[in-house]
Amino acid sequence: MKTEHDLDPSPPVETVAPPLLEIEELRVGFDTEAGLLVAVDGVSLRGEAGQTLGLVGESGCGKSVTASSVLRLVPVPPGKFLGGRIRFEGKDILSMRRSELGRIRGKEISMIFQDPMTSLNPVFTVGRQLVEVLRLRFGMHRKEALERSAEMLSTVGIADARSHLGSYPHELSGGMKQRVIIAMALLCEPKLLIADEPTTALDVTIQAQILHLIKSLQRRTGAGILFITHDMGVVAEMCDEVAVMYAGRIVERGEVGEIFQRSRHPYTKGLLRSIPRKGVQRKAELPTIEGVVPSPLHLPAGCRFAERCWHRKDLSEGEQRRCFEEDPVLDGTRGVACHFPLVGGGA
Amino acid sequence: MTGNPRSNDSGPLLSVEGLKQYYPVRGGILGGKIGDVRAVDGVTFSVEQGQTLGLVGESGCGKSTLGRAVMRLEDPTAGRVLFQGEDLANASGPELFRRRRDIQIIFQDPYSSLNPRMTVGEIVREPLLVHRMGTKKEQVKKVRDLLATVGLTGEMLDRYPHEFSGGQRQRIGIARALALDPKLVIADEPVSALDVSVQSQVLNLMVKLQRERNLTYIFISHDLSVVEYISDTIAIMYLGRIVEKGPVDRIFERPAHPYTRALIRAIPEPDPSRRKDAVPLQGEAPSPVSPPPGCAFHPRCPFAIEECRSAVPSLEPLGGTDGHRGAEHLAACIRKDEI
Ligand SMILES: Nc1ncnc2c1ncn2[C@@H]1O[C@H](COP(=O)(O)OP(=O)(O)OP(=O)(O)O)[C@@H](O)[C@H]1O
Ligand code: SF4
Ligand SMILES: [Mg+2]
């Protein structure tokens, strides 16, 4: 287990404002019939106001568990916090009282999920839900709140906003529901927005609209965003910083251009190479990452990517043994958790 | 490859002519028919043997319905499906049953498309049993060969689908689709549920199988990058119709329909130095129950003029100077030659 990283808390005497979001060595597990499943295993992240931090990786690598931990939305049990710390503007989320957390949730921190129905109540009209948010957050009167809600619905591209205040969620398309959630988030003017695959279920032209909206929300409010996706195109479009996750851990992080142009972790580079993109010859063999992600119930010792690592195959026997036996540590802001990182070059 | 006496070597393997697939909408007090969902509304295209036709469009545009109609899983409302020159829409009984061998489908969801109570071996063998192909011994051998072809080992024969990863399950689905040595494979979003690293494995496999077996694909997807990679020809659908069709490189270099342009522009590129700041295409696709008059795209189209509200544009070759190549490139837009 690593003890050293660049995310050490600020000095005890607070001269500078603490970072907006600070996750340190987070470990979260689930009790399952087959034993303890460690879904997130020592994740450290830092998000700043006005910046978008992307969290990418394949299905099951722990992105959503990491994100939901920030608002303590992981169901306990079967979930279990095994260690680490999460701070929001310096306040410790994991030890906070429920009531205090409630004040932060939906006000200073908003969350957009892949499935909009996670955040919408099916039995209330859209208008009622938006008004409720404004009353809770700003103590606004009903009439004024309705006015603001209608305005916001048109801002997010809902035609005929006033009449949609009376719609129930099931009367709206997936794209419209996601717009309502974004309107809700906009109305709250959160300091931190957590978006977990907000466009994965949407069509590409609707996705483009929603991404555009989230960007303008950020420009307007200066919110920090934690953006979760498995789509490298969306990462490139949205993020300032990126953290790449693999099997419960962060294997590489850095500024978005660096990650795309000079990937240093073999997994990141493999992922980027395997996407069919402009200029790839039609029907030419695509580079792949052979094999599959290890089961979180049977994680191997050493580097968790070693079994599938194409780079390892060029190494000496002794070096390869190190890959299988010793845990690589993520260090530095431009961190890479690999014993033999790539020197860097285009994907 | 099984020789077919009636096969027509010169024509396309499949042609679809004026196909319509409507579903009744019921409502009112008596629950009577109050309208139609025009899921597929007059579609014409053909595919040559050994080629891939990419069928692109957003949810609800009718691409999956079109795939099912080609399979003759439903009776078309109008139009013809010709397979090697024979009309499938009129085929019935034993003829249709025999034809079904030649056309197979791969589904999007590798999790739900495989029977959880059957072993992998049984799943892949089932089509052979249904169509009484070969002796038991031959069938067992064939199943092993198929699994090897898609990169799975024989020891997986007796295991159940839930024991496999998404990519492995998609391989099982492909092995099953290939069991009857089909000529045409309809792949409906075959890699959409897979992670990128696994997606490229399955795409490589599909390309390899096409080469080895001279397979013809209809590749249905909402993902333009994947379609660009695997297709020879692309058809773009909007609200039940094809709005643009042509050779893949032409479509990407010179998209003619405003919807195609918007679609291409909307793909987020995996390159942070090429971010999009332009305002994206606004609005959403209208309901296929009450499509707008004229060009169905006109309410969202930045180029729409008065005429677009009333005249329904038909799919026609692009004008212009590059003759033959241009003739294969069709678009259904009144202003296709000026914009
Ligand atoms: N409630 C739960 N009970 C048991 N295991 C869980 C639970 N929630 C998540 N997990 C497990 O934790 C691991 C990480 O899951 P998580 O949802 O964070 O993945 P993800 O990276 O968000 O994947 P995806 O891209 O598919 O959304 C997985 O192995 C998952 O099965
Ligand atoms: S530590 Fe070894 S196995 Fe792991 S990614 Fe680096 S080279 Fe590959
Ligand atoms: Mg998730």
Side-chain angles (χ1 to χ4, degrees), chain A residues 57-60 157 173-176 179 202-212 215 219 230-240 256-257 260-261 267 270-272 274-293 308, chain B residues 50-52 57-60 63 165 168 171 194-201 203-204 207 210-211 222 225-233 248-249 252 259 262-285 300:
Chain A
E58 294 181 83
S59 188
S173 71
M176 299 245 284
R179 277 173 230 257
L202 303 175
D203 280 325
V204 30
T205 64
I206 309 299
Q207 164 168 289
Q209 294 169 7
I210 301 282
L211 295 182
H212 192 76
K215 281 193 227 168
R219 266 197 292 269
H230 64 272
D231 184 331
M232 286 302 206
V234 173
V235 174
E237 187 69 42
M238 297 296 289
C239 303
D240 303 299
V256 67
F260 277 76
Q261 265 106 52
Y267 174 65
L271 210 56
L272 285 167
S274 64
I275 313 170
R277 60 168 91 197
K278 278 212 175 78
V280 168
Q281 210 199 328
R282 200 171 349 125
K283 298 192 191 183
E285 186 163 339
L286 293 167
T288 60
I289 305 177
E290 291 307 321
V292 292
V293 183
R308 301 173 76 190
Chain B
Q51 299 266 301
T52 303
E58 301 183 275
S59 60
K63 49 194 195 304
S165 69
Q168 287 174 319
R171 284 166 196 266
L194 306 176
D195 276 318
V196 276
S197 77
V198 182
Q199 181 175 308
S200 56
Q201 295 172 10
L203 288 174
N204 282 343
V207 168
Q210 178 165 51
R211 277 210 193 99
H222 68 279
S225 327
V226 170
V227 170
E228 177 179 14
Y229 165 78
I230 203 164
S231 307
D232 300 288
T233 309
V248 65
D249 40 352
F252 279 89
Y259 176 63
L263 215 50
I264 293 176
R265 227 179 326 115
I267 315 171
E269 265 181 78
D271 180 353
S273 64
R274 306 184 52 170
R275 291 201 179 166
K276 303 178 174 69
D277 274 324
V279 176
L281 176 70
Q282 297 300 303
E284 298 191 19
R300 299 174 77 187

Side-chain angles (χ1 to χ4, degrees), chain B residues 19-55:
Chain B
L19 194 75
K20 292 187 181 179
Q21 189 81 55
Y22 291 2
Y23 300 106
V25 184
R26 298 188 186 282
I29 307 167
L30 301 174
K33 185 177 148 178
I34 54 168
D36 283 308
V37 182
R38 302 177 176 193
V40 174
D41 197 13
V43 162
T44 299
F45 66 85
S46 58
V47 204
E48 307 287 334
Q49 171 125 33
Q51 299 266 301
T52 303
L53 170 77
L55 211 52

Side-chain angles (χ1 to χ4, degrees), chain A residues 87-194:
Chain A
R87 289 197 202 88
F88 173 68
E89 294 189 314
K91 288 169 285 197
D92 189 339
I93 297 251
L94 295 183
S95 65
M96 196 175 273
R97 278 214 233 97
R98 286 261 150 207
S99 55
E100 198 180 342
L101 187 66
R103 277 196 293 277
I104 291 182
R105 230 184 245 174
K107 294 174 197 158
E108 291 173 65
I109 307 180
S110 291
M111 193 148 176
I112 308 177
F113 300 92
Q114 174 172 348
D115 177 4
M117 286 317 288
T118 317
S119 333
L120 287 173
N121 189 330
V123 304
F124 295 134
T125 63
V126 166
R128 173 153 178 192
Q129 299 186 52
L130 292 175
V131 165
E132 204 54 34
V133 164
L134 286 171
R135 279 157 57 123
L136 276 174
R137 171 91 161 104
F138 301 110
M140 210 180 269
H141 286 295
R142 203 186 121 77
K143 202 153 167 239
E144 190 190 352
L146 261 177
E147 208 53 39
R148 283 283 293 139
S149 302
E151 261 171 47
M152 195 51 81
L153 285 185
S154 18
T155 308
V156 300
I158 293 188
D160 210 359
R162 214 156 283 274
S163 75
H164 274 117
L165 286 176
S167 301
Y168 287 89
H170 73 264
E171 298 172 312
L172 307 175
S173 71
M176 299 245 284
K177 280 183 221 151
Q178 208 56 295
R179 277 173 230 257
V180 171
I181 304 289
I182 290 176
M184 223 178 240
L186 264 168
L187 287 172
C188 289
E189 295 172 20
K191 294 177 180 160
L192 174 65
L193 176 69
I194 302 175

Side-chain angles (χ1 to χ4, degrees), chain B residues 288-300:
Chain B
V289 182
S290 50
C295 169
F297 187 60
H298 87 254
R300 299 174 77 187

Side-chain angles (χ1 to χ4, degrees), chain B residues 250 253-254 318-329:
Chain B
R250 279 278 310 206
E253 276 159 31
R254 301 181 47 189
L318 256 64
T321 48
D322 53 352
H324 174 70
R325 294 277 297 170
E328 305 164 22
H329 185 180

Side-chain angles (χ1 to χ4, degrees), chain B residues 121-200:
Chain B
E122 287 164 353
I123 287 170
V124 177
R125 189 173 158 210
E126 189 181 42
L128 296 169
L129 283 172
V130 171
H131 285 266
R132 299 212 185 84
M133 307 280 285
T135 62
K136 180 172 179 198
K137 209 171 139 203
E138 284 165 343
Q139 288 178 355
V140 170
K141 176 171 185 313
K142 175 117 196 180
V143 169
R144 281 184 178 276
D145 290 348
L146 284 165
L147 286 184
T149 305
V150 299
L152 298 175
T153 57
E155 78 208 31
M156 296 174 167
L157 272 173
D158 297 320
R159 291 165 59 187
Y160 290 87
H162 74 261
E163 298 172 53
F164 293 89
S165 69
Q168 287 174 319
R169 280 189 260 211
Q170 202 52 293
R171 284 166 196 266
I172 297 167
I174 293 173
R176 177 183 159 99
L178 294 179
L180 299 169
D181 292 314
K183 297 190 173 69
L184 174 68
V185 173
I186 298 169
D188 192 353
E189 304 268 11
V191 297
S192 306
L194 306 176
D195 276 318
V196 276
S197 77
V198 182
Q199 181 175 308
S200 56

